[in-house]
Each structure stands twice: as C-alpha cells, then as structure tokens.
Amino acid sequence: MLSKPLYEVLPLSYVAIGSLGILLFDQAFAQFLAVIVYLWGSRIYSLRSNNRRTDAKKRRKKGWIPSPLYEHIPAFCFLSAILLSQHNSKLAPILALCLCSFALYIFFRRVGYRKHKIFAAKCM
C-alpha cells in the first residue's frame, strides 16, 4: 500500500513525466510512449475526481460532449500546447500559451466545483 501523499501525487507525476518525455525526446516512439503516460495520468486523475464528487448526480448538467471526452478537455488542451510548442513557427508559442491558459482555467474551475460540502441531517 502506498502512503497517502505519494498516492495523491501519482496522477500528476504521470502527467509531468509524460510532458517532460514529450519535450525532451526526439524519437517518435519515445514521444508516443510519453503521450501514453501523460494520458494515463490524466485518466487516473479524472477517475479520482469523479469518484470524489459529492454533488448529487441528478443535479449535474448534461452537456453535448460525451463525458469521457469532457473530463479530459484540460489534459487534451495542455497536451496540444506541448506538441504545438515543438513547431518552429512564430504563431506556435502564442497558440500554445493560449491553450495552456485555457487548460489551467478549466482545471481550476473544476477543482473548485469538486469541493462540495456534505450536509448530514442532524438527528435530535
């Protein structure tokens, strides 16, 4: 069994290792494996986040984007920004910065939404 601090940081460390792998390695196979590690960390994070939600399922809004894709929008934006930053053009860094900003905005909004309070009925 892993200790709680290590367990909590594991998905984000997978994302960080995948990101560094994409940026540091030039071989296509190594970058492909780094993308898989990145997406694996994103998947674990979204599963944990959904499991820890405290709001009722009937109060959640249904969107037009399928739930598995919707949960990974910040990860896909950040991954796109990392991949885009490797291109040698004048527009690529600006688009990568915009994608990173959008991904962080969505991520922090969702973190705020996941901090619901559980109201227990008081018995007298």
Side-chain angles (χ1 to χ4, degrees):
M1 170 125 349
L2 295 173
S3 65
K4 185 170 177 152
L6 180 63
Y7 177 77
E8 292 297 328
V9 117
L10 207 54
L12 296 179
S13 64
Y14 290 148
V15 169
I17 289 169
S19 300
L20 285 174
I22 293 168
L23 292 173
L24 294 178
F25 297 122
D26 292 332
Q27 299 88 2
F29 186 69
Q31 286 187 342
F32 176 73
L33 291 177
V35 167
I36 289 176
V37 170
Y38 178 88
L39 292 175
W40 185 25
S42 170
R43 175 77 175 144
I44 293 170
Y45 182 82
S46 70
L47 287 173
R48 283 189 193 172
S49 178
N50 282 337
N51 189 40
R52 293 176 179 171
R53 287 182 78 163
T54 57
D55 57 336
K57 286 188 178 184
K58 63 183 177 182
R59 297 195 65 203
R60 297 178 189 170
K61 295 179 182 177
K62 301 283 186 198
W64 55 274
I65 300 174
S67 180
L69 290 178
Y70 177 77
E71 291 295 329
H72 293 286
I73 288 176
F76 290 147
C77 287
F78 192 66
L79 180 62
S80 301
I82 291 170
L83 294 172
L84 191 62
S85 68
Q86 294 182 342
H87 290 285
N88 293 330
S89 70
K90 293 181 180 181
L91 192 57
I94 296 169
L95 290 175
L97 184 62
C98 291
L99 282 171
C100 282
S101 300
F102 182 67
L104 287 173
Y105 170 73
I106 293 174
F107 175 75
F108 285 120
R109 282 192 57 164
R110 290 188 186 168
V111 166
Y113 289 153
R114 298 298 201 256
K115 293 184 180 183
H116 300 285
K117 301 288 184 200
I118 298 174
F119 295 106
K122 293 183 181 182
C123 297
M124 291 189 180

